[in-house]
Amino acid sequence: MRYSAEHKLETRARVITAAGQIFRKDGYGGAGIDALTKAAGVTNGAFYGHFKSKAEAFRTAVLEGLEELRQGIAALKTNQPKDWLPTFVGYYLGYKRTCDLGESCALPSLSPDVMRADDETRSAYTAEIKRLVEEVAAGLPEHKMEGRSEASREDQAILLLAMLSGGVTLARAVSDPALSARIADIIAQAALTAIKPHD
């Protein structure tokens, strides 16, 4: 039976979504092909019709996850140009800290496995991180430092993403909900203080 191009695209999207959730929950090492295909509701044959290997599915899931984050930031900047940053920080350290791990942000949940991944995955991740940094930097206040405004904003974007990602990682790892909330509050305050424009 021949499937339409639209059906193939839908199947691929379903596999990528399922892979992203399974890799977030179980890590690369804990996610087998059987779990991926079962979560996506496809056969092994259908999986291999879209991806040559688990590594390729992982790479695709990572890139999709980072692109989703970048697009979310871009949408916030468009919809709330004046106060997108506090909204983003609140959402990231609120909902994205407490949602199901399968729905969590790719940055903290998938980056540890990227460190151990193949060169192709790490290179693709690097390119996507650069795009993410540029997206965040474009929405940050300009610092008044001679000739350093662009570098300074990108530096701030890196700092912000690292603080949020690290904060969520610590807050998710602890078993005490009060400590988790405390970590989130401290990181939120520090992140917003660090990104304020300086004279």
Side-chain angles (χ1 to χ4, degrees):
M1 184 165 92
R2 310 276 286 156
Y3 287 111
S4 67
E6 187 179 339
H7 180 271
K8 286 179 182 173
L9 283 174
E10 285 173 9
T11 302
R12 181 180 170 82
R14 206 164 67 237
V15 172
I16 292 169
T17 299
Q21 291 171 345
I22 297 292
F23 286 129
R24 283 169 171 85
K25 277 185 170 178
D26 301 337
Y28 183 80
I33 297 295
D34 288 344
L36 297 176
T37 56
K38 186 178 177 188
V42 300
T43 63
N44 279 21
F47 176 86
Y48 286 112
H50 293 283
F51 300 104
K52 292 186 295 250
S53 63
K54 182 172 98 166
E56 186 183 350
F58 174 70
R59 180 168 48 252
T60 305
V62 168
L63 300 181
E64 288 280 325
L66 293 179
E67 177 62 10
E68 185 182 304
L69 174 58
R70 193 188 67 75
Q71 286 181 0
I73 291 168
L76 256 183
K77 284 168 31 187
T78 300
N79 297 332
Q80 300 182 34
K82 293 267 190 277
D83 62 351
W84 75 271
L85 189 57
T87 302
F88 172 59
V89 168
Y91 175 75
Y92 202 90
L93 291 165
Y95 174 74
K96 280 297 180 182
R97 170 179 62 86
T98 58
C99 67
D100 183 78
L101 193 55
E103 302 298 322
S104 65
C105 177
L107 198 56
S109 57
L110 299 179
S111 294
D113 280 321
V114 173
M115 289 188 290
R116 301 175 193 94
D118 55 52
D119 289 343
E120 188 178 349
T121 298
R122 294 187 67 209
S123 294
Y125 174 89
T126 301
E128 206 57 44
I129 287 292
K130 287 177 180 176
R131 291 181 69 217
L132 182 58
V133 166
E134 287 168 9
E135 187 69 60
V136 172
L140 296 180
E142 184 137 6
H143 276 42
K144 306 228 182 344
M145 295 198 304
E146 284 295 313
R148 284 216 61 223
S149 62
E150 209 48 57
S152 174
R153 283 201 296 208
E154 286 197 356
D155 290 352
Q156 283 193 305
I158 291 168
L159 175 64
L160 177 68
L161 291 169
M163 288 176 83
L164 294 180
S165 181
V168 164
T169 300
L170 286 180
R172 272 193 175 273
V174 298
S175 60
D176 178 354
L179 179 57
S180 178
R182 182 177 173 197
I183 291 167
D185 289 344
I186 291 166
I187 296 298
Q189 289 173 26
L192 292 173
T193 301
I195 306 305
K196 279 183 183 168
H198 305 296
D199 293 324

